[in-house]
Amino acid sequence: MLNIKDIMETVEMIDKENLDVRTITMGISLLDCIDPDIDRACQKVYDKITTKAKDLVKVGCDIEREYGIPIVNKRISVTPIAMLAAACPNEDPVKFALTLEKAACAVGVNFLGGYSALVQKGFSAGDIALIKSIPQALAQTDHICSSVNIGSTKAGINLDACRMMGEIVKEAAELTKDRDCIGAAKLVVFCNAPEDNPFMAGAFHGVGEADCVINVGVSGPGVVASALHKAPDADIAQLADIIKKTAFKVTRMGQMVGTIASERLGVPFGIVDLSLAPTPAVGDSVAYILEEMGLEQCGCCGTTATLAMLNDAVKKGGVMASSRVGGLSGAFIPVSEDAGMIAAARSGALSLNKLEAMTAVCSVGLDMIVVPGDTTAEVISAMIADEAAIGMINTKTTAVRVIPAIGLQVGDELNFGGLLGSGPVMPISTLSPAKFIHRGGQIPAPIQALKN
């Protein structure tokens, strides 16, 4: 039973420590919308989304008002659109993107994810056409997010897809260079993509999911940092316990919101993703958590070890709080979205090499990283391949969301505003991996994939 101390503690977390529900995301299957006539398919897509999600924003706002819990985003994820595009191979998939944009505006959500393809073991019908259309789709829409899964522990890495995605990231940035290259910021390339992720830009509704579900993504780096600040003399095991207890409380709040939203919307409750998702707000930073553990600045030696402990403790605390933990669940390190990461990158304490090492132990990967605009497509492709290799070998989700800042160089800054924040252009090796990338083919699955 809750006592007054628990209630006041939660109020303080919300009021002073940036605790929030980052998103309630409705996942909607579009498999029953597949049609060889793209216009009929688009109409089915629009009708289903606007029917299922018509009350999503209202319910989120009602819960926010009644319980005093900030719910920052209301979002939708849908079946990977490449599966719908496969049924109408001679049509432009951008029609689907424009339909999704129209539906997102009609129901009032912040983002809609699922302009996606799953090509970890090769390209099936619809995949190549959709991938090639991504830059135009993102340039012509404001709310649509895109993702492509190019590898997995079971399948290996599709190097042809890596090559394509380097080119697509560059083109997406070029087509939106008048809007701070926002197209690339709405595109993520995965290895081992989860089917129930509520966070953008990587959310899509997996084919193994129910027809419609509610997934919740919580946050709370500021809460964890504040808790650690109150224990300046604790040893590292004691800090792990503090993080676990804090993650437990945050996850409980997320489960409550998800359960209420599920009941009011009349759809099943899916999962709570208990990831520590930072923001540019001062204090709401994963980097500051690591610094509370004793680092002079995020990026120095010890950063990977402290991040590994944080990620593990968050998961342990979260799974004790809910049997419905899923998605990514851990600690995000998006450079432009984290005030502490931004500061560390600006000062030079945090390099791309250190970030890559950190991705071996965090929730996702190289996230919201700004690189010079003249970075070649092959270098971006190789960055994707490197990150996918970490995910493949370690049987974890990894991803790359990198923004080539067209017209900018190292030392300049790109400013997206809002939750996407701003980031300094970071130096990257210009040595060419072109021959490797253009070999193509499939990097074989690792031996640990053979578990049957």
Side-chain angles (χ1 to χ4, degrees):
M1 180 178 291
L2 288 175
N3 58 37
I4 191 68
K5 180 175 179 293
D6 293 325
I7 294 169
M8 293 307 297
E9 186 178 61
T10 304
V11 169
E12 184 171 331
M13 288 178 180
I14 293 169
D15 189 45
K16 298 179 181 178
E17 298 166 5
N18 299 306
L19 176 61
D20 57 46
V21 169
R22 184 55 47 84
T23 178
I24 52 172
T25 300
M26 177 177 280
I28 303 174
S29 173
L30 300 181
L31 293 177
D32 55 348
C33 300
I34 293 174
D35 196 297
D37 183 320
I38 194 169
D39 294 320
R40 282 203 303 263
C42 286
Q43 188 61 51
K44 291 178 185 178
V45 167
Y46 180 83
D47 291 345
K48 185 162 188 181
I49 291 173
T50 53
T51 299
K52 293 286 187 181
K54 68 181 188 301
D55 295 323
L56 176 62
V57 172
K58 178 183 181 300
V59 166
C61 292
D62 287 347
I63 295 171
E64 190 173 12
R65 184 178 60 255
E66 290 171 30
Y67 292 88
I69 298 170
I71 301 175
V72 180
N73 290 287
K74 294 84 180 174
R75 299 167 170 170
I76 294 171
S77 63
V78 298
T79 303
I81 292 298
M83 296 181 181
L84 281 72
C88 31
N90 299 318
E91 300 286 354
D92 183 358
V94 174
K95 282 188 176 182
F96 285 114
L98 297 175
T99 299
L100 295 174
E101 176 74 8
K102 182 181 173 184
C105 292
V107 298
V109 292
N110 304 94
F111 287 109
L112 190 155
Y115 199 77
S116 307
L118 311 178
V119 296
Q120 57 267 24
K121 208 170 183 179
F123 303 99
S124 60
D127 290 334
I128 290 178
L130 182 122
I131 290 172
K132 288 182 175 179
S133 76
I134 287 172
Q136 281 292 341
L138 297 180
Q140 294 181 42
T141 59
D142 294 319
H143 300 87
I144 305 308
C145 293
S146 180
S147 60
V148 177
N149 192 69
I150 53 85
S152 73
T153 300
K154 280 288 187 182
I157 299 170
N158 183 342
L159 199 58
D160 293 309
C162 287
R163 176 188 56 77
M164 286 184 68
M165 291 313 299
E167 296 166 358
I168 294 300
V169 168
K170 280 279 288 189
E171 188 181 350
E174 285 276 4
L175 290 181
T176 54
K177 61 185 177 183
D178 59 333
R179 292 184 284 154
D180 295 310
C181 307
I182 189 69
K186 298 191 293 174
L187 170 61
V188 60
V189 187
F190 274 116
C191 177
N192 290 320
E195 295 191 334
D196 55 3
N197 168 25
F199 286 105
M200 300 298 168
F204 64 88
H205 189 67
V207 295
E209 296 286 300
D211 185 63
C212 186
V213 298
I214 284 290
N215 296 321
V216 173
V218 297
S219 187
V223 177
V224 176
S226 177
L228 296 183
H229 184 71
K230 296 170 185 174
D233 300 318
D235 66 29
I236 201 70
Q238 291 170 325
L239 292 186
D241 283 339
I242 291 169
I243 295 167
K244 284 188 286 186
K245 291 173 183 175
T246 307
F248 180 94
K249 296 171 186 174
V250 170
T251 306
R252 278 291 199 200
M253 184 191 74
Q255 177 163 295
M256 182 191 76
V257 168
T259 301
I260 296 168
S262 168
E263 291 172 354
R264 294 188 182 182
L265 291 165
V267 300
F269 176 35
I271 57 95
V272 179
D273 187 320
L274 50 98
S275 297
L276 295 181
T279 74
V282 174
D284 201 25
S285 162
V286 169
Y288 292 160
I289 297 174
L290 307 184
E291 290 165 11
E292 284 291 349
M293 292 186 198
L295 304 183
E296 181 176 353
Q297 190 168 26
C298 180
C300 71
C301 293
T303 298
T304 307
T306 51
L307 181 60
M309 193 273 279
L310 170 65
N311 210 51
D312 181 66
V314 165
K315 291 178 188 292
K316 287 174 177 173
V319 297
M320 286 297 291
S322 173
S323 60
R324 292 180 173 270
V325 170
L328 298 161
S329 290
F332 289 179
I333 52 170
V335 174
S336 79
E337 297 177 12
D338 184 306
M341 296 286 179
I342 295 168
R346 282 175 179 157
S347 72
L350 187 62
S351 67
L352 268 175
N353 288 339
K354 188 60 177 178
L355 277 165
E356 184 178 301
M358 293 164 69
T359 64
V361 299
C362 77
S363 270
V364 193
L366 295 170
D367 195 14
M368 289 302 291
I369 291 169
V370 185
V371 297
D374 58 2
T375 303
T376 66
E378 288 89 355
V379 167
I380 295 171
S381 296
M383 181 190 298
I384 291 168
D386 282 345
E387 197 57 32
I390 291 173
M392 176 183 72
I393 295 296
N394 290 293
T395 320
K396 71 181 291 291
T397 301
T398 50
V400 172
R401 188 164 45 148
V402 60
I403 301 97
I406 306 304
L408 302 184
Q409 291 297 326
V410 174
D412 295 331
E413 294 229 354
L414 207 55
N415 191 340
F416 303 104
L419 283 176
L420 295 178
S422 63
V425 179
M426 300 182 71
I428 185 171
S429 173
T430 56
L431 298 173
S432 176
K435 185 174 181 180
F436 159 62
I437 290 300
H438 287 285
R439 286 184 183 276
Q442 188 84 4
I443 295 178
I447 191 66
Q448 58 263 42
L450 299 176
K451 291 183 176 181
N452 294 335

